[in-house]
Amino acid sequence: MNSCQGKGVPDISTRQLVHLMSEKFAQDLRFFCLTDANPYGIQIMSIYKYGSKELNYDKLNLNVPALEWIGLKITDLDHFHLASSSHSFKMKLNKNDEQTARCLIKKLNALFEFELVGQVTIYFSRNKNPDFSFNF
């Protein structure tokens, strides 16, 4: 199995390469994105798949609509009984994390990616301060 790997938030060159490969090999290959099971991982995947606000004008040359997100999801912690184990899977979240989540949820709602909205919401509800809520 061959693979092409990116890193973190994708730069334009990496997005162009993956886009070109997906167009050329769309009939023969499937394209996957393996990221962390947190809002930042979902954000990275959504940039590859749907693009970024900053480069929206060039999304036809950068996006990979058939991209599939794989890997553990935050809801898998329940399935494997990891959420209640002695290990802590919580992160301290700050206002920047909350703003990132709000922007990501807004973007994903507009794209009808409700499963991903649920993942982000669950992640933050488990790691949030008691006064944080996703009211829009």
Side-chain angles (χ1 to χ4, degrees):
M1 182 169 121
N2 294 325
S3 68
C4 177
Q5 301 172 0
K7 76 286 185 231
V9 177
D11 58 27
I12 295 172
S13 298
T14 304
R15 289 177 59 196
Q16 285 175 327
L17 175 64
V18 175
H19 170 80
L20 290 171
M21 290 173 57
S22 72
E23 282 192 333
K24 182 163 179 71
F25 301 111
Q27 301 299 320
D28 303 314
L29 298 175
R30 292 172 63 192
F31 289 82
F32 300 98
C33 185
L34 176 63
T35 63
D36 294 335
N38 63 35
Y40 296 103
I42 294 171
Q43 183 179 39
I44 290 168
M45 184 279 304
S46 74
I47 291 171
Y48 275 110
K49 186 169 184 171
Y50 299 111
S52 63
K53 186 167 59 170
E54 294 81 12
L55 296 173
N56 192 41
Y57 63 89
D58 202 19
K59 66 182 175 185
L60 294 177
N61 296 312
L62 297 173
N63 296 1
V64 183
L67 187 71
E68 300 175 54
W69 184 44
I70 60 171
L72 285 176
K73 312 237 179 331
I74 194 67
T75 50
D76 291 334
L77 296 178
D78 296 333
H79 178 70
F80 294 110
H81 307 290
L82 296 174
S84 61
S85 72
S86 61
H87 302 293
S88 175
F89 292 94
K90 294 188 175 194
M91 293 175 50
K92 291 188 178 205
L93 305 177
N94 59 38
K95 294 292 182 189
N96 188 44
D97 296 328
E98 294 175 13
Q99 183 61 33
T100 298
R102 289 179 199 284
C103 291
L104 186 57
I105 287 174
K106 185 176 179 180
K107 174 183 179 177
L108 294 171
N109 267 324
L111 295 166
F112 305 103
E113 285 282 4
F114 302 121
E115 178 187 0
L116 296 177
V117 169
Q119 293 293 319
V120 175
T121 303
I122 290 167
Y123 182 86
F124 271 84
S125 69
R126 291 182 180 176
N127 292 283
K128 69 179 174 91
N129 297 326
D131 60 338
F132 181 77
S133 67
F134 283 107
N135 296 326
F136 293 96

